[in-house]
Coordinates of all heavy atoms in Angstrom, one line a residue:
M1 N 0.8 -1.3 0.0 CA 0.0 0.0 0.0 C 0.9 1.2 0.1 O 1.9 1.4 0.8 CB -1.0 0.0 1.2 CG -1.9 1.2 1.3 SD -3.1 1.2 0.0 CE -4.2 -0.1 0.7
C2 N 0.5 2.1 -0.9 CA 1.4 3.3 -0.9 C 0.8 4.4 0.2 O -0.3 4.3 0.5 CB 1.1 4.1 -2.3 SG 1.3 3.1 -3.7
Y3 N 1.7 5.1 0.7 CA 1.5 6.2 1.6 C 1.7 7.5 1.2 O 2.7 7.8 0.5 CB 2.2 5.8 3.0 CG 1.7 4.6 3.7 CD1 2.3 3.4 3.6 CD2 0.6 4.7 4.6 CE1 1.8 2.3 4.3 CE2 0.0 3.7 5.2 CZ 0.8 2.5 5.1 OH 0.3 1.3 5.8
Q4 N 0.8 8.4 1.6 CA 1.1 9.7 1.4 C 0.8 10.5 2.8 O -0.3 10.5 3.3 CB 0.1 10.4 0.4 CG 0.3 11.8 0.1 CD -0.5 12.3 -1.0 OE1 -1.7 11.9 -1.3 NE2 0.0 13.3 -1.8
V5 N 1.8 11.2 3.3 CA 1.7 11.8 4.5 C 1.1 13.2 4.4 O 1.6 14.0 3.5 CB 3.0 12.0 5.2 CG1 3.1 12.9 6.5 CG2 3.8 10.7 5.4
V6 N 0.1 13.4 5.1 CA -0.7 14.7 5.0 C -0.6 15.3 6.4 O -1.2 14.7 7.4 CB -2.2 14.4 4.6 CG1 -3.0 15.8 4.6 CG2 -2.2 13.9 3.2
E7 N 0.0 16.5 6.6 CA 0.0 17.2 7.8 C -1.2 18.1 8.0 O -1.4 18.9 7.0 CB 1.5 18.0 7.9 CG 2.6 17.0 7.8 CD 3.8 17.8 8.0 OE1 4.1 18.6 9.0 OE2 4.7 17.6 7.2
R8 N -1.7 18.1 9.0 CA -2.9 18.9 9.3 C -2.7 19.7 10.6 O -2.0 19.2 11.5 CB -4.2 18.2 9.4 CG -4.6 17.6 8.1 CD -5.9 17.0 8.0 NE -6.4 16.4 6.8 CZ -6.9 17.2 5.9 NH1 -7.3 18.5 6.1 NH2 -7.2 16.6 4.7
F9 N -3.2 20.9 10.8 CA -3.3 21.6 12.1 C -4.1 20.9 13.0 O -5.3 20.6 12.8 CB -3.7 23.0 11.9 CG -2.8 23.8 10.9 CD1 -3.0 24.0 9.6 CD2 -1.6 24.4 11.5 CE1 -2.1 24.7 8.8 CE2 -0.8 25.1 10.7 CZ -1.0 25.3 9.4
A10 N -3.7 20.7 14.2 CA -4.4 19.9 15.2 C -5.7 20.7 15.7 O -6.6 20.1 16.0 CB -3.5 19.6 16.4
A11 N -5.5 22.0 15.8 CA -6.6 22.8 16.3 C -7.8 22.9 15.4 O -8.9 22.9 15.8 CB -6.1 24.2 16.7
C12 N -7.5 23.0 14.1 CA -8.6 23.3 13.1 C -8.7 22.3 12.0 O -9.7 22.3 11.2 CB -8.7 24.8 12.5 SG -7.0 25.0 11.7
Y13 N -7.8 21.5 11.9 CA -7.8 20.3 10.9 C -7.6 20.8 9.4 O -7.9 20.2 8.5 CB -9.1 19.5 11.1 CG -8.7 18.0 10.9 CD1 -7.8 17.4 11.9 CD2 -9.1 17.3 9.9 CE1 -7.5 16.1 11.8 CE2 -8.8 15.8 9.8 CZ -8.0 15.3 10.7 OH -7.7 13.9 10.7
C14 N -7.1 22.2 9.3 CA -6.9 22.5 8.0 C -5.6 22.0 7.4 O -4.8 21.5 8.3 CB -6.7 24.1 8.0 SG -8.2 25.0 8.3
L15 N -5.5 21.9 6.1 CA -4.3 21.2 5.6 C -3.0 22.2 5.7 O -3.1 23.4 5.5 CB -4.5 21.0 4.1 CG -3.4 20.4 3.3 CD1 -3.3 19.0 3.8 CD2 -3.6 20.5 1.8
Y16 N -2.1 21.5 6.2 CA -0.7 22.2 6.4 C 0.3 21.9 5.4 O 0.8 22.8 4.7 CB -0.2 21.9 7.9 CG 1.3 22.4 8.1 CD1 1.5 23.8 8.2 CD2 2.3 21.7 8.3 CE1 2.7 24.3 8.3 CE2 3.6 22.1 8.6 CZ 3.9 23.5 8.6 OH 5.0 24.0 8.8
H17 N 0.6 20.6 5.1 CA 1.4 20.2 4.0 C 1.1 18.9 3.6 O 0.9 18.1 4.3 CB 2.9 20.4 4.5 CG 3.9 20.1 3.5 ND1 4.2 21.1 2.4 CD2 4.7 19.1 3.3 CE1 5.0 20.5 1.7 NE2 5.4 19.3 2.1
K18 N 1.1 18.7 2.2 CA 0.8 17.5 1.6 C 2.1 16.9 1.1 O 2.6 17.6 0.1 CB -0.2 17.5 0.6 CG -1.1 16.4 0.4 CD -2.3 16.6 -0.4 CE -3.2 15.4 -0.3 NZ -4.5 15.7 -1.1
H19 N 2.7 15.9 1.5 CA 3.9 15.3 1.1 C 3.6 14.6 -0.3 O 2.6 14.2 -0.5 CB 4.6 14.5 2.1 CG 5.1 15.2 3.3 ND1 6.3 15.4 3.5 CD2 4.4 15.7 4.3 CE1 6.5 16.1 4.6 NE2 5.4 16.4 5.2
S20 N 4.7 14.3 -0.8 CA 4.7 13.5 -2.1 C 4.3 12.0 -1.7 O 4.7 11.5 -0.7 CB 5.9 13.5 -2.9 OG 7.0 13.1 -2.2
I21 N 3.8 11.2 -2.7 CA 3.4 9.9 -2.4 C 4.6 9.0 -2.3 O 5.6 9.2 -3.1 CB 2.4 9.3 -3.5 CG1 1.2 10.2 -3.6 CG2 2.2 7.8 -3.5 CD1 0.4 9.9 -4.8
D22 N 4.6 8.1 -1.3 CA 5.7 7.2 -1.1 C 5.1 5.8 -1.7 O 4.3 5.1 -1.2 CB 5.8 7.0 0.4 CG 7.0 6.0 0.6 OD1 7.9 5.8 -0.3 OD2 7.1 5.4 1.7
P23 N 5.6 5.5 -3.0 CA 4.9 4.5 -3.7 C 5.4 3.1 -3.3 O 6.7 2.9 -2.9 CB 5.2 4.8 -5.1 CG 6.6 5.5 -5.1 CD 6.4 6.3 -3.8
C24 N 4.6 2.1 -3.3 CA 5.0 0.7 -3.2 C 5.1 0.1 -4.5 O 4.9 0.7 -5.6 CB 3.9 -0.1 -2.2 SG 2.4 -0.4 -3.1
S25 N 5.3 -1.2 -4.5 CA 5.6 -2.0 -5.8 C 4.4 -2.0 -6.7 O 4.4 -2.1 -8.0 CB 6.1 -3.4 -5.5 OG 5.3 -4.1 -4.7
A26 N 3.2 -1.8 -6.2 CA 2.0 -2.0 -6.9 C 1.4 -0.6 -7.3 O 0.4 -0.5 -7.7 CB 0.8 -2.7 -6.0
Y27 N 2.2 0.4 -7.1 CA 1.7 1.9 -7.4 C 1.4 2.0 -8.9 O 2.3 1.5 -9.8 CB 2.9 2.7 -7.1 CG 2.5 4.3 -7.4 CD1 1.6 4.9 -6.7 CD2 3.2 4.9 -8.4 CE1 1.2 6.1 -7.0 CE2 2.9 6.2 -8.7 CZ 1.9 6.8 -7.9 OH 1.5 8.1 -8.3
G28 N 0.3 2.6 -9.2 CA -0.1 2.9 -10.5 C -1.1 1.8 -11.2 O -1.6 1.9 -12.2
Q29 N -1.2 0.6 -10.4 CA -2.1 -0.4 -10.8 C -3.6 -0.1 -10.7 O -3.9 0.7 -10.0 CB -1.7 -1.7 -10.2 CG -0.5 -2.2 -10.6 CD -0.3 -3.7 -10.0 OE1 -1.1 -4.3 -9.4 NE2 1.0 -4.1 -9.8
R30 N -4.4 -0.7 -11.6 CA -5.9 -0.4 -11.6 C -6.4 -0.7 -10.2 O -6.3 -1.8 -9.6 CB -6.5 -1.2 -12.6 CG -7.9 -0.9 -12.8 CD -8.6 -1.8 -13.7 NE -8.0 -2.0 -15.0 CZ -8.4 -1.3 -16.0 NH1 -9.5 -0.6 -16.0 NH2 -7.8 -1.5 -17.2
G31 N -7.0 0.3 -9.7 CA -7.8 0.2 -8.3 C -6.9 0.2 -7.1 O -7.4 0.1 -6.1
H32 N -5.7 0.5 -7.4 CA -4.7 0.7 -6.3 C -4.9 2.0 -5.6 O -5.0 3.1 -6.2 CB -3.3 0.5 -6.7 CG -2.3 0.4 -5.7 ND1 -2.2 -0.6 -4.8 CD2 -1.4 1.2 -5.4 CE1 -1.3 -0.4 -4.0 NE2 -0.6 0.6 -4.1
L33 N -5.0 2.0 -4.2 CA -5.3 3.1 -3.5 C -4.1 3.6 -2.8 O -3.1 2.8 -2.5 CB -6.4 2.8 -2.5 CG -7.8 2.4 -2.9 CD1 -8.7 2.1 -1.9 CD2 -8.4 3.5 -3.9
V34 N -4.0 4.9 -2.6 CA -3.0 5.6 -1.8 C -3.5 5.8 -0.3 O -4.6 6.5 -0.2 CB -2.5 6.8 -2.5 CG1 -1.5 7.5 -1.6 CG2 -1.9 6.5 -3.9
Q35 N -2.9 5.3 0.6 CA -3.3 5.4 1.9 C -2.8 6.8 2.5 O -1.7 7.1 2.4 CB -2.8 4.4 2.9 CG -3.3 4.5 4.2 CD -4.6 4.1 4.5 OE1 -5.1 3.0 4.1 NE2 -5.4 4.8 5.3
E36 N -3.8 7.6 2.9 CA -3.4 8.9 3.5 C -3.0 8.7 5.0 O -3.8 8.1 5.7 CB -4.5 10.0 3.3 CG -4.5 10.6 2.1 CD -5.3 12.0 2.0 OE1 -5.8 12.4 3.1 OE2 -5.3 12.6 1.0
K37 N -2.0 9.3 5.3 CA -1.4 9.2 6.7 C -1.5 10.5 7.3 O -0.6 11.3 6.9 CB 0.0 8.5 6.7 CG 0.3 7.7 7.8 CD 1.7 7.0 7.6 CE 2.2 6.3 8.7 NZ 3.5 5.7 8.4
T38 N -2.3 10.8 8.1 CA -2.5 12.2 8.7 C -1.6 12.4 9.9 O -1.5 11.5 10.8 CB -3.9 12.3 9.2 OG1 -4.8 12.2 8.0 CG2 -4.2 13.9 9.6
V39 N -0.8 13.5 9.9 CA 0.2 13.8 10.9 C -0.4 15.2 11.4 O -0.5 16.1 10.6 CB 1.6 13.8 10.4 CG1 2.4 14.4 11.5 CG2 2.0 12.4 10.1
L40 N -0.7 15.3 12.6 CA -1.2 16.5 13.1 C 0.1 17.4 13.7 O 1.0 16.9 14.3 CB -2.1 16.3 14.3 CG -3.4 15.6 14.0 CD1 -4.3 15.3 15.1 CD2 -4.2 16.3 12.9
V41 N 0.0 18.7 13.3 CA 1.0 19.6 13.8 C 0.2 20.4 15.1 O -1.0 20.8 14.8 CB 1.4 20.6 12.8 CG1 2.3 19.8 11.9 CG2 0.4 21.3 12.1
G42 N 0.9 20.7 16.0 CA 0.2 21.1 17.4 C -0.1 22.6 17.5 O 0.2 23.3 18.4
H43 N -0.7 23.2 16.4 CA -1.3 24.5 16.5 C -2.3 24.8 15.4 O -2.6 23.9 14.6 CB -0.1 25.6 16.5 CG 0.7 25.4 15.2 ND1 0.6 26.1 14.2 CD2 1.9 24.5 15.0 CE1 1.6 25.7 13.2 NE2 2.3 24.8 13.9
A44 N -2.8 26.0 15.4 CA -3.9 26.3 14.4 C -3.2 27.0 13.3 O -2.1 27.6 13.3 CB -4.9 27.3 15.0
C45 N -4.0 26.9 12.1 CA -3.4 27.7 10.9 C -3.6 29.2 11.0 O -4.3 29.7 11.9 CB -4.2 27.3 9.7 SG -5.8 27.9 9.5
P46 N -2.9 30.0 10.3 CA -3.0 31.5 10.4 C -4.5 32.0 10.4 O -4.7 32.9 11.0 CB -2.1 32.0 9.2 CG -1.2 30.9 9.0 CD -1.9 29.6 9.2
A47 N -5.3 31.3 9.6 CA -6.7 31.8 9.5 C -7.4 31.6 10.6 O -8.4 32.3 10.9 CB -7.3 31.1 8.2
H48 N -7.1 30.6 11.4 CA -7.9 30.2 12.5 C -7.2 30.4 14.0 O -7.8 30.1 15.1 CB -8.2 28.6 12.6 CG -9.2 28.4 11.4 ND1 -9.0 27.7 10.3 CD2 -10.6 28.8 11.3 CE1 -10.0 27.6 9.5 NE2 -10.9 28.2 10.0
S49 N -6.0 31.0 13.9 CA -5.3 31.3 15.2 C -5.7 32.7 15.5 O -5.5 33.7 14.8 CB -3.8 31.2 15.0 OG -3.4 32.1 13.9
S50 N -6.2 32.8 16.7 CA -6.7 34.1 17.1 C -5.7 34.8 17.9 O -5.3 34.3 18.9 CB -8.0 34.0 17.9 OG -7.9 33.1 18.8
Y51 N -5.3 35.9 17.5 CA -4.5 36.8 18.4 C -4.6 38.3 18.2 O -5.3 38.5 17.1 CB -2.9 36.3 18.3 CG -2.4 36.6 16.9 CD1 -1.8 37.7 16.5 CD2 -2.5 35.5 16.0 CE1 -1.3 37.8 15.4 CE2 -1.9 35.5 14.8 CZ -1.2 36.9 14.4 OH -0.8 36.9 13.1
Ligands
ZN101 ZN1 0.9 1.0 -3.0
ZN102 ZN1 -7.5 26.5 10.1

């Protein structure tokens, strides 16, 4: 299974950074899915951080 690390803000769950896909040997085959791996970063994005 291929993995793609997606970093999200822990406070509001907005997208922080989407990494490139880490492909396995079956990458690109029909019906093959890329598993998203969510990593939370411990703060809010600029739009949702109140100060
Ligand atoms: Zn794969
Ligand atoms: Zn946000």
